[in-house]
Amino acid sequence: MRRLILLLLLLLLLLLFIVSPSPALSAAPHLRLQLQLQRQPDPPGTSRLNRLRAMIQIDQHRRRAFEKLSRPPDDPAMEMPLISGAYIGTGQYFVSVRIGTPPKPFLLVADTGSDLTWVTCRYRRAAGSGFAGDQQSGLAFEASQSSSFQPINCSSELCRKELPFALTKCPTADAPCSYDYRYAQGSSAQGIFAKESITAELSDRRQVTLNGMVVGCTSSSVGSSFTKSDGVLALGYGANTFVSGATARFGSRFSYCLVDHLSSRNATGYLAFGSNPDLLPAALVAHLVIKPELQPFYYVAVSGISVAGEVLRIPLSVWDDRRHGGAIVDSGTTLTVLAEPAYQAVVGALSRRLTYVPRLKLDPFEYCYNWTSPAAARASIPELVLHFVGAATLSPPAKSYLIDVADGVKCLGFVSTPWPGVSVIGNIMQQGYIWEFDLKNQWLRFGPSSCTAGSTYR
Ligand SMILES: *[C@@H]1O[C@H](CO)[C@@H](O)[C@H](O)[C@H]1NC(C)=O
Ligand SMILES: *[C@@H]1O[C@H](CO)[C@@H](O)[C@H](O)[C@H]1NC(C)=O
Ligand SMILES: *[C@@H]1O[C@H](CO)[C@@H](O)[C@H](O)[C@H]1NC(C)=O
């Protein structure tokens, strides 16, 4: 009897799943059409093979038509190579862009949690009052050698009302607008705002230059977050971020594909503006929550987490941005951060299933395991699934949450933040996937990828 009820429940669930209109299903018209085609009766005299061939041809035409529809009319996509910083021991991903006129190459942290693009820089006041800052060594952007570098005046509307972390000091109307940009981790960057040109490559290898982008000329910085890069590329949303400039030109979508975070320098993913032909129409879709008060962060509507098929008991307020919670997708954060109630539930459920592997202590991780012990060889790593509002789920590979931190040592790749607090889906959790941010429709589409197919950077 109990079994019958279970079966009935299962059937009901299945039915519900099939009829529920979810963005994931409606975003896959391609799949549905294929199903209808298969139901057509055989015309007499056609073999199954011929029929299949005809179907494949129809599919191909259809796919091409979809690609045409989704491509912006003017330019092909703008693509920039994106690499893991593992080769110099950082957990960030670097994008290579060219700044100024003539364009000079710089390696910037690709950061969806930032609204200021800046580069390590030397700027000499026209009045001849010396260098605004010359603490930096190594390769800095030389503002005086770029003909397109235009400091933003401190008296301008932009400086007084719009730019993030702009300082109020304004000795003369045409003095440059300066900033002291603060990051959550305690790092900061100081310098002056300017309008400058940023150059990248199109997917057909032509160059494209975006003029008049807001770029910070950073003369000093505090903290270790950015010492291994030349600056930050602001991929958050807001009026003056790189995303706002690039989406104005290429349409309201951008995407990135993150290679494995332990990859060598020559394994290259990409950051793309414009439509991404590598992302299948059947990609999963979650809702992005885009609101001025949440700027520049991309909140995503999470509904829960399950471990080994069991949905964990986590209060729904943890995922609710209106109740001091919520989860953001962040390319600039390495480990996934969970608000305390979610953290306890997730590491509790995972560690309970790994108790037979000897534990080690390795800051900042709470749960690390000796993976050279014989018990580890028999371990089956429990599956972790992130559920989004709607039907989409993210099932990351085990290496994205039981991460290799040293030879023979694996750790649960989560850190906790006190509740109430915002959770962060970090970049290790995002590796091996394409992520497309659709700002107009407020969708986050994603799908597994090797990050190489179809892109310029094979
Ligand atoms: C800054 O102010 C000066 C003098 O008022 C003006 O000539 C210049 O065009 C301004 N620059 C910008 C970028 O607005
Ligand atoms: C990266 O470069 C190294 C040394 O040049 C080479 O051995 C390796 O195969 C390359 N890896 C990839 C993924 O291309
Ligand atoms: C891990 O386990 C192996 C085999 O049991 C042992 O030889 C090694 O010392 C352990 N490593 C650590 C760091 O405890």
Side-chain angles (χ1 to χ4, degrees):
M1 188 60 197
R2 204 180 285 160
R3 226 187 266 163
L4 189 72
I5 292 174
L6 257 172
L7 199 72
L8 276 172
L9 263 173
L10 209 74
L11 269 173
L12 194 76
L13 263 173
L14 253 171
L15 212 71
L16 271 175
F17 179 75
I18 289 166
V19 296
S20 76
S22 74
L25 287 173
S26 58
H30 188 173
L31 276 182
R32 262 196 238 144
L33 286 162
Q34 262 179 330
L35 286 174
Q36 280 166 7
L37 274 172
Q38 283 169 351
R39 269 193 230 111
Q40 276 178 355
D42 272 359
T46 55
S47 72
R48 191 187 286 175
L49 181 65
N50 281 343
R51 191 159 48 93
L52 257 173
R53 281 196 185 125
M55 267 162 52
I56 289 166
Q57 219 163 28
I58 290 170
D59 272 0
Q60 279 171 347
H61 287 315
R62 197 166 278 288
R63 206 167 296 140
R64 274 185 220 125
F66 280 137
E67 275 165 16
K68 247 183 239 156
L69 274 179
S70 59
R71 213 177 277 280
D74 323 316
D75 283 321
M78 174 170 81
E79 289 189 352
M80 288 162 263
L82 191 60
I83 60 173
S84 163
Y87 71 100
I88 41 167
T90 89
Q92 288 150 337
Y93 285 82
F94 298 146
V95 61
S96 115
V97 297
R98 289 159 185 268
I99 302 175
T101 311
K104 295 269 168 58
F106 293 94
L107 215 50
L108 307 183
V109 173
D111 188 7
T112 57
S114 280
D115 53 2
L116 173 63
T117 295
W118 62 261
V119 63
T120 299
C121 171
R122 283 148 70 91
Y123 168 70
R124 192 204 290 270
R125 289 291 312 272
S129 57
F131 285 110
D134 46 12
Q135 287 150 267
Q136 303 287 344
S137 53
L139 282 178
F141 177 75
E142 293 282 353
S144 62
Q145 286 169 22
S146 169
S147 62
S148 47
F149 186 88
Q150 264 197 307
I152 291 169
N153 291 338
C154 60
S155 58
S156 65
E157 190 85 349
L158 197 58
C159 181
R160 289 184 296 120
K161 302 236 168 93
E162 277 189 46
L163 293 173
F165 297 96
L167 301 177
T168 48
K169 70 169 185 220
C170 193
T172 58
D174 62 349
C177 180
S178 52
Y179 57 80
D180 184 1
Y181 195 94
R182 303 280 165 154
Y183 294 91
Q185 321 87 299
S187 303
S188 63
Q190 298 78 35
I192 62 152
F193 291 105
K195 295 266 176 115
E196 182 52 293
S197 300
I198 297 185
T199 299
E201 216 164 64
L202 296 174
S203 42
D204 63 7
R205 295 205 175 268
R206 276 183 300 142
Q207 301 261 307
V208 61
T209 299
L210 302 172
N211 296 314
M213 308 291 273
V214 173
V215 174
C217 169
T218 289
S219 50
S220 64
S221 59
V222 177
S224 59
S225 299
F226 304 106
T227 50
K228 304 277 176 69
S229 68
D230 301 319
V232 173
L233 189 70
L235 298 178
Y237 64 97
N240 298 294
T241 68
F242 184 73
V243 159
S244 82
T247 53
R249 173 85 172 258
F250 292 96
S252 62
R253 291 185 282 174
F254 74 96
S255 52
Y256 57 71
C257 196
L258 304 182
V259 295
D260 188 300
H261 74 290
L262 298 174
S263 298
S264 68
R265 187 175 183 163
N266 51 4
T268 315
Y270 58 85
L271 167 69
F273 287 84
S275 77
N276 187 335
D278 296 346
L279 195 63
L280 297 173
L284 292 161
V285 183
H287 295 282
L288 277 179
V289 185
I290 304 239
K291 296 181 196 168
E293 66 268 30
L294 300 179
Q295 203 170 292
F297 302 109
Y298 296 100
Y299 279 72
V300 60
V302 171
S303 64
I305 298 179
S306 59
V307 168
E310 174 202 339
V311 177
L312 304 177
R313 298 168 65 91
I314 298 168
L316 279 177
S317 53
V318 163
W319 313 122
D320 192 345
D321 65 81
R322 290 157 305 178
R323 291 153 78 187
H324 312 292
I328 64 173
V329 189
D330 189 9
S331 65
T333 298
T334 306
L335 294 171
T336 288
V337 180
L338 293 174
E340 194 58 23
Y343 176 83
Q344 291 304 343
V346 169
V347 299
L350 288 170
S351 62
R352 255 199 314 282
R353 290 170 172 86
L354 292 168
T355 45
Y356 51 90
V357 186
R359 251 178 90 181
L360 302 167
K361 187 83 187 83
L362 214 70
D363 262 356
F365 303 98
E366 194 178 350
Y367 289 91
C368 294
Y369 299 94
N370 182 344
W371 222 254
T372 57
S373 85
R378 297 190 300 273
S380 89
I381 300 169
E383 191 191 14
L384 176 100
V385 178
L386 199 55
H387 301 266
F388 297 100
V389 172
T393 55
L394 171 67
S395 307
K399 66 175 181 182
S400 296
Y401 54 92
L402 185 62
I403 59 180
D404 283 310
V405 302
D407 281 347
V409 181
K410 287 185 195 285
C411 300
L412 296 182
F414 302 92
V415 290
S416 76
T417 190
W419 175 254
V422 176
S423 299
V424 184
I425 301 173
N427 61 32
I428 295 182
M429 198 64 84
Q430 299 171 50
Q431 67 185 354
Y433 277 78
I434 296 177
W435 299 87
E436 185 190 65
F437 296 73
D438 182 331
L439 305 190
K440 189 162 125 245
N441 296 309
Q442 308 203 355
W443 281 352
L444 175 67
R445 302 203 302 151
F446 57 95
S449 172
S450 62
C451 299
T452 49
S455 103
T456 314
Y457 305 96
R458 279 172 227 273

